[in-house]
Amino acid sequence: MCGIFFSLSASGPVLPNEETCCLLRKRGPDSFQVQQVQRDVNTDQIRSVPILLTFVSTVLSMRGDQVVTQPLVDTTTESVLCWNGDAWKIAGEPIRGNDTQLIFNLLLQAAKPSYNSESSNALDNGTAIQRVVDVISRICGPFSFVFYDAVNAKLYFSRDCLGRRSLLQGIDDTGAFKICSLCDGTSSTHFDEVGTTGVHMIDFTRSVMQDSPTPETGATHFNTDSIQTLPWENVDSPGHLRNPIPPMNRSVPQDVPPQLSIESPCVDELEQRLRTSLALRIQNVRDPPGFTTESNTKVAVLFSGGLDCTILARLSHELLPADESIDLLNVAFENPRVAAAASKEAKTGSVYENCPDRITGRSAFAELQAVCPGRNWRFVAIDIPYVETVAHRDTVKRLMRPHNTEMDLSIACALYFASRGQGSAFDSHEGNAEPQRYTTPARVLLSGLGADELFAGYARHGMAYSRNGFEGLIDEIDLDVSRLGKRNLGRDNRVIAHWGREARFPYLDEDFVSWVVQAPVWEKCGFGLPEPESDDPTKATTGIDPEKRALRLVALKLGMSTVAREKKRAIQFGSRTAKMEKGRVKGTDALS
């Protein structure tokens, strides 16, 4: 995980302000470096002007045996890379160590002039742009980056097609073009999320600057129309930016579809593919600062006790060394509105322990202990008083910009405090010992995000099936998957990364998503399927909902009978961050 800042200015160096520098350092506490490059470009008046390119990177080092500082600079060509990503595989081959230098080397190789064997002066058919596109197409994993190809006078910047890493772009008041992992400054009006439609490119051999219409000001500003986009395409051939997510399987059953049961081959394959995705994300993680024999956790789970995150915890048990603890981060909020209603009804008990996610979290914690007794599971109860929520609210709003609705704030608050990882720890191997104040040392946080979209986990999926059968259900799933890159992963990344931790999304692995979208809909969920019969009580599916049925059967197969039957609940309601104040506020309302 890294923080990125880039600026292009014709009026001297433009660096991030002090507040933004501080936030970038929070994202990447292991390194902070600046690199500047000057070059001449043309304006729309065919006038040559010098511009300054400023690159800033902070680094949270997670892979390999040493910190690879950024920006990476090639001293021969002056090409520069700011990389915020995890290339789990390149061209299908797993990458075990640090990926940053490898990516840079591949991009530098792509940028080099290439000659064919027949004529030493003739360029081959593949242009440098096509070769850079080919490198990006071969990367499997989340990323955002800025790459300056000094050889060919091009600047590339992008996010992966699922938008798993934050990157924003905008023009400031001086006309400078900025790219940053978060909004630079207090205003959100200048910044938008970098689109996930493709790789964006600025060609410095063309006119990229505009002279001010009032020459007396002497201002020259960046022309945003000069940004070209090389789109993701469902084409697997050189020179095209290959979309790793294929079109949705739209087949519908001609008759009653086959039963989906614990013995179904697709359920077994689902488990194995999810296990493969998870292994890439939790194995070979470097020891974090604070890692000791007592505080021996490298991986934590953002843990509501729901189906998606508990499956990840359960599978992690089989992939991590037996002597490593796994932290389960469970957040609950004091909600004054809910507390007032409980008082009026004379209800007793802790406002935190009565939160829906705390109840399911403790239940799933108990089930994990029963199924995997050899593992030390550490349940971290993160209790957030209302006064603390208010004290941090401006910071959360600052991080989530340009998102600016009540729902954004509710979700972001839950993720912000959960990823801080600070609460009361209950160790399963400590029995009835008193809980201890604790902050997780884990830098890797597992999230179950993506499962609802892929396996029809929302109520609207059932409604779509009720209205239009399998065709309507497929349309709804397809819409959800197509919108993944445009929704809220950038916001979530900005909030979680603030604590120097990295969220990883096993359900959003490109190969896993590709397999799921190509599977027929009746192998993902249970709408319209006959109820299988079983004499084995451990395989009985009574009470298992049709939403995400395939995942529920995986949980059942892994011995998690209660978890397999848990209902879907949105994080803002489960942790009770929604509607904390009185009044008729809608989730879509803009924040004041």
Side-chain angles (χ1 to χ4, degrees), residues 1 48 70 195 227 315 457 463 477 534 573 584:
M1 176 67 69
S48 179
Q70 295 191 49
I227 300 174
L315 290 175
M463 294 167 60
I477 297 173
S534 176
F573 299 114
R584 295 186 176 182

Side-chain angles (χ1 to χ4, degrees), residues 1 25-31 59-63 66-67 86 165 281-282 285-291 297-302 327 329 419-421 438-446 496-497 499-504:
M1 176 67 69
R25 287 180 186 272
K26 294 278 284 185
R27 290 178 63 92
D30 298 331
S31 170
V59 175
L60 176 72
S61 185
M62 307 282 285
R63 302 171 67 181
Q66 62 184 5
V67 176
D86 279 309
R165 294 290 166 85
R281 288 159 173 79
I282 66 173
V285 174
R286 183 192 299 168
D287 292 357
F291 184 86
T297 302
K298 295 182 183 180
V299 175
V301 184
L302 297 173
D327 286 355
L329 308 180
S419 57
R420 185 174 66 170
Y438 174 79
T439 300
T440 183
R443 284 183 160 186
V444 172
L445 305 182
L446 294 178
I496 293 171
W499 300 111
R501 309 189 199 278
E502 178 177 293
R504 294 181 175 175

